[in-house]
Amino acid sequence: MTKYIVEGGNPLFGEVHISGAKNAAVAIIPAALMVNGVCRIENIPQISDVTLLLSILQDMGAKIRFLNKNTVEIDCSSAHNARVPYDSARRCRASYYLIGALLGRFGLADVALPGGCDFGGTRPIDQHLKGFNALGAQVEVQSGFINARAGETGRLKGANIFLDKVSVGATINIMLAAALAEGSTVIENVAKEPHIVDVANFLNSMGANIRGAGTDIIKIRGVEQLHGGTYSIIPDQIEAGTYMAAVAACGGQIKVCNIIPKHMDCITAKLLEMGVEVEEIEDNLLVRRIGPLMKTNIKTMPYPGFPTDMQPQLAAALCLAHGTSIITESVWSSRFRYTDEFKRMGAQIQVDGNLAIIEGVEHLSGAQIEACDLRAGAAMIIAALAAYGTSEITGVQYIERGYESVIEKFRKLGGNITSVEVPDEDEALSAG
Ligand code: UD1
C-alpha cells in the first residue's frame, strides 16, 4: 500500500506544468477504437485511468506504442469486439464510453456496469441508454452487464435526442455512437464542458462531422468510417484548479503553466472573491496569496458554472478562510464524505444534505486521513500541506487515477510531501 506523508505549513512557490485533461483522455482513448488507422495522441496524461483504458483496448487487439511519456499511438485497424469484464469496468467510471464506441464501430457492445468514484449516492446512466435506444439500439442490463445491439443492419440510425439531465457522460457517449451512425443526429440540452469540445475536435480531426460542441445543441452527420491522424489533448482544467486552490490554502505565489485561461474563469472568479490574486499571462496564470483568505459561497453547476470536481479542493482552502462559507452541491446528490477527514484536522464543517457550512479556523493540524475519491484525495493533499504538523494520507490510489506526477509537482513547489510504501494492513493482519 502507498501512503503520502505530508509535513504542512509551508507556502508554495514556483512553476507547475499542467498535464493533459484526464476527462478528455478517458473519452478519447475509447473513441480511438472507432478509428480505422493510427491515432497519434499527444499530451496524454500518465495516470492509472489511462493505463487501464489502454490495456482494455489492447485486449481487443489494438496496437499501443508510446513515443514518449505523453505521446501514444493507438492503432485499432484490426481491433475486434470483446466483452469488457467487471474487473476492468469497475475500476474506471469512463469505461462506459466503451459502450458508445463499440456500438458505433461494431454495432454491439457488452460492457460491465461502470465503477469509478463513489460520491456517496447513485450515479445513473439512464440518459446514455436512452440515447442508444433512440439511435436504434436494443439495450438490456443483465447480470451486471450492459448489452447493446444495433438493428439488423448492424449500424445505428441518426435521431433527435433531448437529454432530461445535463450529463457529461451521456453527451459524449451519444456523440461517439452517433459519429458512425447512418444519417444525422441532433442532441439537445447537452453538457458544455471543455473536454466535450475536445472529444468532438478529436473525432472531427479523424473525419467525423460534429458541430455545436460547447453549445446546448450538438449536430452530428454520421460518416462511414474514421481515419487516423494526430491530436493533442487540452490541458486539465481541474488539475490546474487544484494547484490554484493549494496556493489559496497554503499562501505563496505560483505560475500555473500550459493552460487555457478561459477554462479557468469559473474557478478564478471564486479565488478572487477569496482574496487570491490571479493574473493571466498568455497561457499561464500567476496565482498569489499574501493576505488573509476571505469566505465565499459556492454552488456547483455544469460548465460554465463552478465545477463539482473542484468543490473539495476549494473547501480545503475555505476551512482556513475568515468567516462562514456555504457550499451547495447541485450536481451530485451528496459529495461531502471527505469533510469527516477535514474535521479530524480541526476543521469546523456542518453538512446538511447538499449543503456544507464551513466556519473558517485559524489553522488545521496534521492527522491520519483517508482519500475516499479522486478529488477528495486532492483536497486531502491541500489540507495537509496547509496544516501544521504531519499528515498521513491513505487511499492514494484514487489520487493516482487522475493526477500525473502529483508528488513531484507539489515537491517542485516546495511542498513537503513524500510517497512511502507500507505493508498492506490486511496482509499484515492476516500474516500476523
Ligand atoms: C463526469 C466526470 C465527473 C464529474 C461529472 C460532473 C468523467 C469521467 N467524469 O461524470 O468527474 O463529476 O462529469 O461534472 O468525465 N445523471 C443522470 N442520468 C444519467 C447521467 C447522469 O441522472 O444518465 C445525473 C448524475 O446523477 C448527476 C448529473 O447527472 O447528478 C451529472 O452527471 P454526469 O455529468 O453524467 O457525470 P459523469 O459523466 O458520470
Side-chain angles (χ1 to χ4, degrees):
M1 180 172 72
T2 310
K3 267 186 191 177
Y4 293 167
I5 310 289
V6 183
E7 288 291 339
N10 297 332
L12 303 176
F13 290 96
E15 286 187 7
V16 60
H17 284 257
I18 298 307
S19 301
K22 167 200 172 261
N23 284 347
V26 297
I28 285 174
I29 295 169
L33 245 186
M34 298 164 57
V35 177
N36 270 307
V38 180
C39 300
R40 179 181 290 191
I41 306 171
E42 298 169 348
N43 206 27
I44 193 129
Q46 256 204 348
I47 50 175
S48 64
D49 269 11
V50 160
T51 311
L52 175 71
L53 286 165
L54 288 175
S55 77
I56 295 176
L57 258 56
Q58 220 159 9
D59 290 344
M60 292 178 178
K63 296 192 188 81
I64 313 277
R65 190 163 76 102
F66 270 91
L67 304 186
N68 60 48
K69 176 164 93 66
N70 298 112
T71 305
V72 67
E73 279 187 353
I74 306 176
D75 182 358
C76 291
S77 328
S78 49
H80 53 82
N81 200 348
R83 270 165 82 83
V84 179
Y86 176 66
D87 214 35
S88 305
R90 81 183 164 82
R91 284 159 51 204
C92 173
R93 181 86 194 149
S95 56
Y96 54 34
Y97 292 134
L98 292 162
I99 311 169
L102 289 169
L103 257 182
R105 167 97 188 248
F106 300 109
L108 68 115
D110 295 308
V111 179
L113 281 160
C117 283
D118 173 8
F119 301 142
T122 55
R123 292 187 71 172
I125 56 165
D126 56 297
Q127 297 303 303
H128 305 228
L129 306 189
K130 167 179 148 163
F132 299 144
N133 270 320
L135 294 169
Q138 300 279 350
V139 186
E140 279 180 4
V141 181
Q142 242 181 12
S143 314
F145 273 76
I146 294 162
N147 308 123
R149 303 279 178 275
E152 276 166 20
T153 61
R155 198 166 169 208
L156 298 171
K157 286 203 168 54
N160 289 351
I161 300 159
F162 194 103
L163 295 180
D164 303 325
K165 180 104 197 177
V166 177
S167 158
V168 169
T171 302
I172 292 181
N173 227 344
I174 298 168
M175 199 163 75
L176 295 179
L180 288 173
E182 205 180 316
S184 294
T185 296
V186 177
I187 324 172
E188 291 188 63
N189 195 28
V190 294
K192 296 180 275 202
E193 269 67 3
H195 47 283
I196 288 171
V197 180
D198 209 39
V199 179
N201 287 343
F202 166 80
L203 289 167
N204 284 342
S205 72
M206 307 289 151
N209 187 339
I210 302 173
R211 300 286 167 261
T215 74
D216 293 320
I217 303 180
I218 296 180
K219 296 183 179 171
I220 302 158
R221 228 179 254 280
V223 296
E224 293 276 334
Q225 70 170 31
L226 299 175
H227 55 71
T230 298
Y231 190 77
S232 183
I233 292 179
I234 52 164
D236 196 309
Q237 175 208 32
I238 305 297
E239 190 200 14
T242 299
Y243 288 99
M244 292 165 78
V247 181
C250 299
Q253 173 174 308
I254 69 166
K255 192 167 170 190
V256 185
C257 304
N258 176 39
I259 55 157
I260 299 173
K262 182 83 200 132
H263 293 168
M264 306 310 301
D265 283 354
C266 40
I267 299 162
T268 299
K270 282 294 146 193
L271 290 171
L272 292 174
E273 283 175 27
M274 292 164 67
V276 178
E277 294 166 42
V278 183
E279 190 187 333
E280 186 178 323
I281 307 168
E282 294 170 358
D283 54 359
N284 311 308
L285 287 180
L286 195 62
V287 187
R288 178 169 45 227
R289 206 265 287 171
I290 302 163
L293 260 186
M294 310 309 290
K295 70 179 170 82
T296 191
N297 295 334
I298 292 174
K299 183 169 185 185
T300 65
M301 286 199 271
Y303 190 82
F306 185 88
T308 172
D309 286 358
M310 271 304 300
Q311 182 259 96
Q313 301 91 311
L314 255 261
L318 289 174
C319 287
L320 293 162
H322 281 281
T324 306
S325 306
I326 300 176
I327 300 182
T328 309
E329 174 56 60
S330 73
V331 175
W332 298 108
S333 56
S334 151
R335 197 179 183 173
F336 291 122
R337 282 202 304 167
Y338 66 87
T339 56
D340 286 339
E341 304 301 295
F342 284 179
K343 285 187 206 163
R344 290 148 58 75
M345 304 176 80
Q348 296 277 340
I349 308 179
Q350 259 188 303
V351 174
D352 183 3
N354 70 338
L355 293 185
I357 299 146
I358 305 177
E359 194 80 52
V361 294
E362 282 291 312
H363 65 86
L364 298 174
S365 22
Q368 293 195 353
I369 44 180
E370 184 169 9
C372 55
D373 67 56
L374 167 62
R375 305 305 171 186
M380 303 285 157
I381 296 182
I382 294 173
L385 284 169
Y388 292 165
T390 309
S391 296
E392 282 187 28
I393 307 177
T394 51
V396 304
Q397 71 279 5
Y398 289 114
I399 304 172
E400 293 174 357
R401 282 187 41 214
Y403 286 88
E404 177 171 310
S405 309
V406 67
I407 296 283
E408 290 78 0
K409 288 186 186 185
F410 272 119
R411 283 180 71 83
K412 228 180 127 212
L413 296 174
N416 190 341
I417 175 167
T418 43
S419 171
V420 294
E421 291 300 320
V422 290
D424 190 328
E425 271 164 27
D426 291 343
E427 272 175 29
L429 278 179
S430 56

